[in-house]
């Protein structure tokens, strides 16, 4: 026992040292808003630090890993042209591999250790859902989440969180409205991912077509790549139009499986999430002829439309600041997020605070590459509300028809008539 | 090499393990271990005040993994059973805690007792699952055992999808957790509270495993590992011993999973995939198989290595083109390289390397 006692004394002495060196009281954290810019986390006179979590590796990396470099490239472009109110934007990107456990750790690291001003464009429903409560407690602005879940639009519950792309219910309604008008009397079916994505989409589709308007409903999970049973069920039900809430890999898989079954050629109408032609043709390889005639909605100009001024601007930035990465809709997405962020930061003014940024976003009225309106207000934190259909013809995806808008409730799907915005001459939003 | 000729052939696993100091210890084992736990608890209490919230969160994660690695190192290192399915057992604990906490919250019956009850339920469910697997495992050896436990690791996503109504498929569940008690003060960081919960759980599993290892059961574990026939001749019921080891180990995994669910406030199948199971095994081998200190090193590595590799790569300045290619991949490459180097330099694990270092120093002076 003597040895234990001796050891005990040593340990106790060490503990006393630790105790003496650590302050045992918790001071109130410096107010995140209302104070001067000097006390705002992540903001100095010369810099604004933003952070994000992205799947740079893992199952969702294909395509999506190109988003954050594009956003970063746009920020570099703005920085090279004087920054925002004289401050340069620093964008910290953390790779969560689409694993919610990693997201938990990385977002805490960004907020608590790297002291970012805001979290921007965190990607994924399962990943980002887990950090909502944490970001709310820390009062960190959680801007433009890269997912169409309706969870981001809960201003009462999560006052700092804002969506970006049209939510899946709005998209479902817009697709169903198009299908109803274009393919009247045909048998409509629905394929959905077994989470908010599929569920919200189906809710939107049934809102327009009615609960009995969808003959066959099938679900899939990303962890199981055998979807032959689902496609067989569609064939047996005689589906003529299949609306699908699928990520790119499963859009490609659906088309490929249907072609293999033979004698089953429905009109596919996938969600914008899984309809980027560049990504799909890369996945299908030789089978990319199956994409011919594919119809899908979009909320940004199509990346192959070289006559669009936004595409021209983004291509320029991509060439100069993004190592000329292969230009696709993911880069369009990333750069638009960058543009919107700069618009919001400019609007928040020179005395940048977290509260100031949130009320700047809530004041709304942003216009940029998005074809429809942004819906931001104090009572609405959902993103873009309008979409335009696009079709693949001769290996080129192009938009057609009117831009339509709706809400995630029982509101009608109607045409959006405002003229599309154009970028400023230097490609940086004006104050 | 003369020892190998004298001793009976050992299994490959036990050859990796350095024999522990022999000779009887005096005094009560339980008392000695309780003293250690008390010292550690006081140390952690002060440390948690001295570090910032993010470090507290990392500390909590390390502690959650420590619950699991302690049980796993006992199972694999001391009982010779290889499990590739501990991630799935963690999932049992985590989902049970999630469902229990949310049920309590829905019925508005949360109180200070709710969290311990949920965690206990998590341990119970995981231990039951462990008993089931253990009964199968006791009939299997070597690669067949690995195969069965691998299947268990793979079944989690399928299970959560099949019963999507309860487990919400790939998206998983969020876990309701009460905030830290108001008595701790208004500005008490939640991360410190989480660290306390996790450390408490880790201490509990370490205490149980350490006592078990130093008991009659522990000696039976080792006897079965080294030679089943000899153990049988000595009157040890081999299958029963193996099942017991599996159940205790599964219970620890359940506790670790439950704690992980509490500190991250969410559960989803991708967290508990095959990668986690393999990482756990990697952690105990890297830390030092069969030693509880090794389990602690392993848990620390699981959290620190990915963090440090990311920090290292962020320090590099790369051209945008190169950064696009390397971002996300470079940390993985460094992670793998580190593992290879550690295994080359210290084949017996980190704890073994420290022991060897200690011996050298003692001999010199």
């Amino acid at each position: 026992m003597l040895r234990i006692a001796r050891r005990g004394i040593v340990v106790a002495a060490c503990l006393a040292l630790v105790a003496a060196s650590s302050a045992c009281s918790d001071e109130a954290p410096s107010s995140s808003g209302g104070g001067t810019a000097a006390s705002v986390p992540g903001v100095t006179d010369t810099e604004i630090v933003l952070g994000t979590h992205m799947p740079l590796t893992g199952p969702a990396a294909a395509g999506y890993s190109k988003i954050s470099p594009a956003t970063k490239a746009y920020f570099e472009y703005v920085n090279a042209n004087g920054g925002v109110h004289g401050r340069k934007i620093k964008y910290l990107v953390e790779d969560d591999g689409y694993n919610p456990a990693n997201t938990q750790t990385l977002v805490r690291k960004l907020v608590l250790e790297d002291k970012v001003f805001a979290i921007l464009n965190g990607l994924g429903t399962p990943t980002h859902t887990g950090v909502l409560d944490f970001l709310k407690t820390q009062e960190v602005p959680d801007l433009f989440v890269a997912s169409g879940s309706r969870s981001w639009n809960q201003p009462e519950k999560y006052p700092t969180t804002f969506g970006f792309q049209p939510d899946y219910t709005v998209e479902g309604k817009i697709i169903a409205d198009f299908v109803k008008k274009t393919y009247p009397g045909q048998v409509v079916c629905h394929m959905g991912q077994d989470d908010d994505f599929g569920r919200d989409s189906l809710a939107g589709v049934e809102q327009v077509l009615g609960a009995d308007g969808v003959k066959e409903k099938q679900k899939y999970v990303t962890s199981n790549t055998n979807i032959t049973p689902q496609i067989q069920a569609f064939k047996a039900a005689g589906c003529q139009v299949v609306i699908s809430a699928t990520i790119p890999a499963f859009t490609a898989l659906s088309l490929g499986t249907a072609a293999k079954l033979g004698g089953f050629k429905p009109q596919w109408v996938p969600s914008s999430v899984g309809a980027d032609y560049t990504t799909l043709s890369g996945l299908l390889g030789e089978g990319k002829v199956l994409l011919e005639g594919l119809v899908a909605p979009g909320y940004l100009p199509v990346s192959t439309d070289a006559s669009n001024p936004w595409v021209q601007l983004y291509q320029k930035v991509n060439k100069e600041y993004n190592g000329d990465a292969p230009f696709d809709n993911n880069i369009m997405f990333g750069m638009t997020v960058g543009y919107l962020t700069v618009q919001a930061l400019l609007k928040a003014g020179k005395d940048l605070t977290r509260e100031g940024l949130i009320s700047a976003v809530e004041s709304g009225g942003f216009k940029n590459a998005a074809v429809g309106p942004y819906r931001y207000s104090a009572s609405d934190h959902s993103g873009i509300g309008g979409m335009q259909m696009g079709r693949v013809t001769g290996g080129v995806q192009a938009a057609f028809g009117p831009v339509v808008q709706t809400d995630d409730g029982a509101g009608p799907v109607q045409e959006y008539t405002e003229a599309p915005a154009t970028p400023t001459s230097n490609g940086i939003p004006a104050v | 090499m003369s020892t190998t000729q004298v001793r009976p052939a050992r299994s490959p696993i036990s050859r990796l393990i350095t024999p522990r100091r022999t000779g009887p210890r005096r005094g009560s084992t339980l008392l000695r271990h309780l003293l250690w736990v008390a010292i550690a608890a006081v140390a952690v209490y002060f440390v948690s005040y001295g570090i910032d919230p993010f470090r507290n969160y990392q500390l909590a994660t390390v502690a959650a993994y420590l619950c699991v690695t302690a049980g796993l190192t006992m199972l694999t290192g001391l009982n010779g059973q290889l499990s590739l399915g501990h991630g799935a057992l963690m999932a049992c604990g985590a989902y049970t805690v999630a469902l229990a906490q949310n049920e309590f919250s829905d019925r508005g019956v949360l109180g200070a007792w709710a969290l311990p009850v949920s965690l206990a339920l998590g341990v119970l469910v995981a231990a039951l699952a462990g008993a089931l697997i253990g009964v199968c495992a006791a009939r299997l050896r070597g690669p067949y055992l690995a195969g069965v436990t691998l299947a268990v690791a793979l079944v989690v996503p399928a299970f959560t999808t099949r019963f999507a109504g309860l487990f919400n498929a790939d998206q998983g569940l969020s876990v309701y957790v009460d905030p830290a008690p108001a008595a701790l003060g208004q500005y008490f960081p939640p991360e410190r509270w989480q660290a306390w919960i996790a450390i408490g759980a880790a201490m509990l599993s370490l205490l149980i495993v350490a006592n078990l290892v130093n008991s009659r059961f522990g000696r039976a574990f080792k006897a079965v590992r080294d030679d089943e026939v000899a153990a049988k001749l000595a009157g040890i019921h081999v299958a029963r011993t193996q099942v017991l080891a599996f159940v205790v180990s599964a219970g620890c995994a359940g506790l670790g999973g439950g704690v992980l669910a509490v500190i991250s406030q969410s559960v989803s199948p991708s967290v508990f995939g095959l990668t986690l199971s393999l990482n756990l095994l990697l952690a105990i081998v890297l830390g030092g198989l069969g030693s509880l200190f090794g389990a602690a090193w392993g848990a620390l590595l699981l959290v620190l290595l990915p963090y440090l590799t990311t920090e290292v790569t962020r320090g590099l300045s790369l051209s945008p083109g190169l950064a696009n290619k390397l971002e996300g991949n470079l940390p993985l490459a460094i992670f793998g390289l580190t593992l290879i180097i550690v295994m080359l330099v210290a084949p017996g694990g980190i704890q073994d390397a420290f022991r060897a270092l200690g011996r050298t120093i003692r001999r010199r002076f």
Side-chain angles (χ1 to χ4, degrees), chain A residues 182-420:
Chain A
T182 321
Y183 312 109
Q186 299 209 1
V187 179
V188 181
C189 302
H190 187 273
M191 171 82 159
Q193 190 164 303
D194 195 2
D195 57 16
D196 282 353
F197 181 18
R199 279 192 290 267
D200 288 2
S201 162
L202 184 61
V205 170
E206 289 189 331
Q207 175 77 40
V208 172
L209 297 180
D212 51 357
V214 184
K215 187 167 180 202
E216 183 67 47
K217 299 161 206 168
Q218 289 291 327
K219 292 184 286 191
Y220 74 92
V221 287
T222 45
S223 45
N224 183 357
T225 52
N226 177 18
I227 54 163
T228 313
Q230 287 93 323
I231 304 296
Q232 218 123 32
F234 287 141
K235 191 182 174 187
C239 302
Q240 291 165 297
V241 179
V242 182
I243 300 172
S244 77
T246 44
I247 58 173
F250 280 82
T251 309
L253 210 52
S254 304
L255 265 62
T257 311
K260 259 189 220 151
L261 285 183
F264 181 49
K265 281 186 182 164
Q267 171 66 52
W268 291 95
V269 192
S271 151
S272 60
V273 169
D276 176 39
Y277 180 77
T278 318
T279 312
L280 287 178
S281 56
L283 286 165
L284 284 167
E286 288 291 302
K288 68 181 177 190
V289 286
L290 295 172
L291 294 169
E292 199 57 31
L294 187 79
V295 176
Y299 46 89
L300 296 174
V302 182
S303 64
T304 45
D305 181 6
S307 65
N308 186 292
W310 293 98
V311 175
Q312 288 163 2
L313 167 69
Y314 293 166
Q315 274 178 336
K316 186 180 121 193
V317 176
N318 185 51
K319 195 164 268 171
E320 289 171 26
Y321 294 93
N322 199 25
D324 206 9
F327 196 78
D328 64 7
N329 285 346
N330 293 304
I331 293 183
M332 294 290 298
F333 183 99
M335 298 241 183
T336 306
V337 167
Y339 196 94
L340 178 63
T341 307
V342 173
Q343 283 180 312
L345 287 172
L346 281 170
K347 201 167 189 181
K350 189 137 184 62
D351 292 328
L352 193 57
T353 60
R354 285 176 165 170
E355 278 86 353
L357 179 63
I358 290 188
S359 43
V361 178
E362 281 183 342
S363 69
F366 300 104
K367 285 203 186 301
N368 54 34
V371 295
Y374 287 95
R375 291 172 284 175
Y376 302 128
S377 73
S379 58
D380 192 341
H381 282 194
S382 62
I384 303 164
M387 299 182 103
Q388 190 177 17
M389 299 307 290
R391 182 183 281 129
V392 177
T393 323
V396 179
Q397 201 166 25
F400 67 94
V403 175
V404 289
Q405 62 170 343
T406 186
D407 58 17
D408 62 12
V413 179
Q414 53 198 6
E415 212 165 303
Y416 174 71
T417 47
E418 262 180 73

Side-chain angles (χ1 to χ4, degrees), chain A residues 94 104 109 113 195-196 222, chain B residues 55 170-171 264 307 314:
Chain A
E94 294 283 358
Q104 292 284 343
K109 176 180 177 295
E113 193 177 58
D195 57 16
D196 282 353
T222 45
Chain B
R55 297 275 172 259
D170 282 359
Q171 199 171 324
S264 61
Y307 170 77
R314 183 176 283 174

Side-chain angles (χ1 to χ4, degrees), chain B residues 72 76 82-84 276-286:
Chain B
L72 187 60
T76 306
L82 184 70
S83 169
L84 295 176
L276 177 65
S277 295
L278 294 178
N279 273 343
L280 289 170
L281 199 63
L282 181 134
I284 58 165
V285 173
L286 217 56

Side-chain angles (χ1 to χ4, degrees), chain B:
Chain B
M1 292 309 284
S2 61
T3 50
T4 43
Q5 287 159 356
V6 182
R7 286 187 189 169
R10 278 182 163 192
S11 68
I13 286 176
S14 69
R15 210 179 302 140
L16 283 171
I17 303 161
T18 42
R20 289 194 51 163
R21 181 173 30 157
T22 46
R25 283 177 192 261
R26 281 176 304 151
S28 154
T29 312
L30 179 64
L31 206 64
R32 193 173 67 242
H33 288 160
L34 275 176
L35 189 71
W36 271 112
V37 165
I39 291 171
V42 175
V44 163
Y45 173 79
F46 285 115
V47 166
S48 73
Y49 269 99
I51 56 181
D52 65 38
F54 181 63
R55 297 275 172 259
N56 265 316
Y57 180 77
Q58 286 183 313
L59 186 65
T61 321
V62 170
Y65 283 132
L66 181 53
C67 298
V68 192
T69 51
L72 187 60
T73 207
M74 176 192 71
L75 181 71
T76 306
L78 299 180
N79 195 224
Q81 297 192 79
L82 184 70
S83 169
L84 295 176
H86 263 52
L89 293 168
M90 285 178 76
C92 288
Y95 273 98
T96 308
V97 167
L99 293 171
Q101 281 293 104
N102 292 347
E103 193 63 35
F104 288 147
S105 154
D106 285 348
R107 288 163 190 255
V109 290
L110 280 162
W113 53 271
L115 188 61
V117 169
S118 303
L119 287 172
L121 281 174
V123 172
L124 195 68
V125 170
L128 283 176
L132 208 64
I133 304 164
V135 170
C136 308
R139 294 160 171 266
L140 300 168
R141 300 288 172 267
Y144 302 102
L145 175 59
V148 164
T149 50
L150 180 71
V152 174
L154 291 174
V155 89
V156 170
F159 206 75
T160 55
T161 306
R162 179 68 188 78
F163 302 101
L166 190 58
F167 300 119
N168 200 15
D170 282 359
Q171 199 171 324
L173 305 165
S174 61
V175 183
Y176 180 83
V177 182
D178 264 340
L184 291 168
Q186 197 189 346
Y187 299 111
F188 191 84
E191 287 76 18
R192 190 180 298 153
W193 177 238
Q194 293 171 336
W196 288 5
I197 294 173
I199 296 279
M203 289 298 150
L204 185 67
S205 24
L206 280 178
L207 186 68
I208 289 170
V209 172
N211 274 304
L212 196 66
V213 167
N214 275 300
S215 71
R216 186 164 65 83
F217 295 106
R219 289 188 289 278
F221 287 171
K222 288 179 213 168
V224 169
R225 173 197 69 192
D226 286 340
D227 193 324
E228 286 185 20
V229 177
K232 233 180 246 174
L233 286 172
I236 295 170
H237 195 303
V238 172
R240 202 180 288 157
T241 309
Q242 286 178 323
V243 173
L244 178 73
F246 218 106
V247 167
V248 174
S249 175
C252 292
L255 184 60
V259 169
L260 205 60
V262 168
I263 58 180
S264 61
Q265 296 181 19
S266 71
V267 284
S268 59
S270 58
V271 176
F272 303 103
L274 182 60
T275 328
L276 177 65
S277 295
L278 294 178
N279 273 343
L280 289 170
L281 199 63
L282 181 134
I284 58 165
V285 173
L286 217 56
L289 202 54
S291 131
L292 286 182
F293 282 104
W297 285 119
L300 196 66
L301 279 181
L302 276 186
V303 174
L304 275 191
L305 214 48
Y307 170 77
L308 290 176
T309 47
T310 315
E311 286 300 289
V312 167
T313 45
R314 183 176 283 174
L316 305 173
S317 53
L318 302 163
S319 73
L322 197 61
N324 284 358
K325 287 197 188 77
L326 288 182
E327 203 147 17
N329 294 320
L330 198 56
L332 289 179
I334 295 180
F335 184 75
L337 208 63
T338 317
L339 299 185
I340 294 172
I341 292 171
V342 170
M343 284 332 288
L344 281 177
V345 175
I350 295 174
Q351 184 59 20
D352 188 48
F354 274 108
R355 279 200 204 120
L357 193 71
R359 276 198 299 275
T360 320
I361 293 173
R362 243 176 282 142
R363 227 179 290 137
R364 286 268 166 87
F365 306 100

